[in-house]
Structure formats: C-alpha cells, structure tokens
C-alpha cells in the first residue's frame, strides 16, 4: 500500500514536471522565440532579391515594385508564414552583398538566383533547388566571337563572389582556351565594360545575361556548369531552413513552381 502510494506520488511529480516543461514550451512559442514566430512578430518577411534580373527579380522603377518568379515565390512563403502574400519587404542584393545581409540579420531569406554549392553550404542553409540555370556568354556582335573557344587570350568580365569565374575557367580549359578575367561589383558595370571594349565577353548565368541583351550584343549558345538556385537562410536558422525546404518540396511536387516557371517563360 505504502509502496503504491509512493509510486503514485512519483508519477504525479513527474507528470507535473512534464506539464511544466510542456507549458514552458508552449508559452515560449506563444511569445515568439522560434525563428518563424519571430517573423510573425515582426509581421513581414524580409527577402533579399535581385533588382535587375528580368523574370526573376526586377525592380519596376515606374511603379517602384518588384516583379518576377523569385518575387512571387517570396510572396508564397509570406502567405504561408503570415497568411498574406503581400507581407514581404524586399532588399535589392548583388552576388557580393546577399551573404553579408543574411549574416547580419537584415534579411530572413535570400531568393536571388543564388546557386547552391558545396562551399556555400558550409556557411548558409539552402533549400532544395527550385530552378536550374546554366552559365553563358554575352559578346558584342561586332567581335565575331561564336563560342567559348573564340575567347582564347581574351578578357571576360565576371561578378565578384559569383560562381561564373570558376565555371568559365573549367569550360575554357576543356576546349583548350586560356581566358583572362576582370571582376566587377555589379552587372551594369560589366555591361558598361563590354560596351567600352574593356572586356571581350560578359559571363554569368544565362537568365541574368538575358536582361543585358541589346541590339549590339548576342547571347552565345554555350551553356555550361548547371546553376541550381536555392532559397538561402542564415546558417544558425535551422528551424526556418527546414520549414522553407518543406514548402519548396511541396511546391515542386504539386506543380506550383512549374506553373510559375511557365508563367515567366523561363
Ligand atoms: N548564380 C550565380 C551565383 O550564385 C551567379 C551570380 C548571381 O546570382 O548574381 O554565383
């Protein structure tokens, strides 16, 4: 009898302790200490996007709004977290600024033609890829360059912190071409260097190059080094990263992402 009472007593104490832990967990989530709760508390999803990649992320200067596939993807995520696809705050990013902006907590996510690489996975979380592009080459029509082999001895403009230089080095070596590089902070600067003749070609993902195509230039058929774009988050934010990955997987499965890719014809 005495023993049974003791057992009951211990059970009650354990149950109470478990209840306290559970209540503590609940209280914590209600106050918003989780990474997704924090976004809910702020009331807006902060996303770093490209301002200058038509059909992916483009700032429409006439309306001062962002448009494109990656902008709609950001809205879908905001819809899931905040129940309203318009609750997004966009920050324009470049290949060089997007990582530091995540690191210092200025933005929650980067959805900006950000290629998933093994090296980058050591410092950022990436979702399952939502789009695959390839690196390409933009040259002046007048230069008469018809393919990567024609770049032997020429200078190619690439962006700092982009995957382009490494990709092009490998592709050029494969056809026995030796290429020189000039690195720039932004894509408009590379295009200006191409126009002025300072570089002979502009190399980056083909989706980005399409935005710089004009009557004087041609996008070569060369397409090398697949670029898988993922949604990136700060390395510590594992809870947010797992949640975002779940959404991307769901939208890959149910055709949502395919419909957006078709909509933008990309
Ligand atoms: N997608 C490539 C990268 O992540 C090109 C750079 C860019 O996205 O601006 O490095």
């Amino acid at each position: 009898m005495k023993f049974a009472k003791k057992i009951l007593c211990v059970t009650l104490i354990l149950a109470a302790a478990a209840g306290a832990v559970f209540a503590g967990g609940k209280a914590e989530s209600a106050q918003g200490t989780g990474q997704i709760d924090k976004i809910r508390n702020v009331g807006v999803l902060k996303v770093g996007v490209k301002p200058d990649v038509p059909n992916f992320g483009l700032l429409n200067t006439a309306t001062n709004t962002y448009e494109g596939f990656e902008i709609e993807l950001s809205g879908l995520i905001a819809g899931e977290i905040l129940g309203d696809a318009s609750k997004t705050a966009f920050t324009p990013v470049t290949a060089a600024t997007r990582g530091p902006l995540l690191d210092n907590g200025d933005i929650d996510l980067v959805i900006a033609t950000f290629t998933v690489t093994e090296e980058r996975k050591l410092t950022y979380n990436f979702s399952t890829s939502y789009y695959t592009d390839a690196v390409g080459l933009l040259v002046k029509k007048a230069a008469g360059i018809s393919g990567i082999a024609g770049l032997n001895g020429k200078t190619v403009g690439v962006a700092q912190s982009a995957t382009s230089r490494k990709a092009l080095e490998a592709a050029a070596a494969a056809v026995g071409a030796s290429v020189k590089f000039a690195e720039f902070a932004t894509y408009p600067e590379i295009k200006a260097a191409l126009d002025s003749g300072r570089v002979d070609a502009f190399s980056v993902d083909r989706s980005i190059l399409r935005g710089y195509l004009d009557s004087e230039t041609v996008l070569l058929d060369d397409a090398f080094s697949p670029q898988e774009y993922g949604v990136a988050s700060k390395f510590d934010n594992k809870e947010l990263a797992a949640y975002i990955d779940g959404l991307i997987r769901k939208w890959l499965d149910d055709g949502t992402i395919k419909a957006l890719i078709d909509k933008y014809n990309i």
Side-chain angles (χ1 to χ4, degrees), residues 36-235:
I36 294 159
D37 289 327
K38 271 191 186 144
I39 295 169
R40 289 195 181 114
N41 287 345
V42 173
V44 72
L45 178 70
K46 296 183 210 156
V47 189
V49 296
K50 285 294 183 75
D52 55 359
V53 184
N55 296 316
F56 283 79
L58 185 71
L59 178 60
N60 180 332
T61 47
T63 59
N64 205 29
T65 55
Y66 285 87
E67 41 197 52
F69 168 43
E70 292 177 326
I71 305 305
E72 286 211 41
L73 199 52
S74 305
L76 286 176
I77 296 171
E80 293 282 336
I81 297 178
L82 298 157
D84 183 344
S86 71
K87 291 199 168 156
T88 44
F90 295 117
T91 298
V93 300
T94 67
T97 66
R98 60 193 166 190
L101 284 166
L102 271 182
D103 291 335
N104 67 22
D106 277 4
I107 52 179
D108 302 307
L109 301 172
V110 165
I111 310 183
T113 69
F114 205 176
T115 304
V116 185
T117 68
E118 289 308 314
E119 198 185 336
R120 287 173 177 168
K121 281 201 290 196
L122 300 175
T123 38
Y124 301 103
N125 305 306
F126 283 93
S127 71
T128 300
S129 170
Y130 55 82
Y131 185 83
T132 303
D133 199 359
V135 178
L137 293 160
L138 189 76
V139 297
K140 276 181 137 178
K141 279 181 184 164
I145 297 168
S146 59
I148 192 164
L151 289 178
N152 193 29
K154 307 266 190 216
T155 303
V156 180
V158 292
Q160 288 156 3
S161 308
T163 49
S164 330
R165 180 176 182 152
K166 221 170 152 184
L168 186 56
E169 261 165 358
V175 296
S178 161
V179 176
K180 288 176 269 183
F181 291 93
E183 294 200 359
F184 299 83
T186 67
Y187 298 120
E189 286 172 78
I190 308 179
K191 179 61 167 60
L194 181 66
D195 290 342
S196 69
R198 198 174 146 208
V199 298
D200 303 293
F202 172 2
S203 181
V204 70
D205 307 354
R206 289 167 63 83
S207 55
I208 298 173
L209 288 177
R210 271 186 213 105
Y212 292 89
L213 196 56
D214 58 19
S215 60
E216 304 285 303
T217 52
V218 58
L219 179 60
L220 299 183
D221 288 339
D222 300 66
F224 44 90
S225 189
Q227 301 288 305
E228 300 197 334
Y229 297 163
V231 178
S233 55
K234 191 175 178 174
F235 197 63

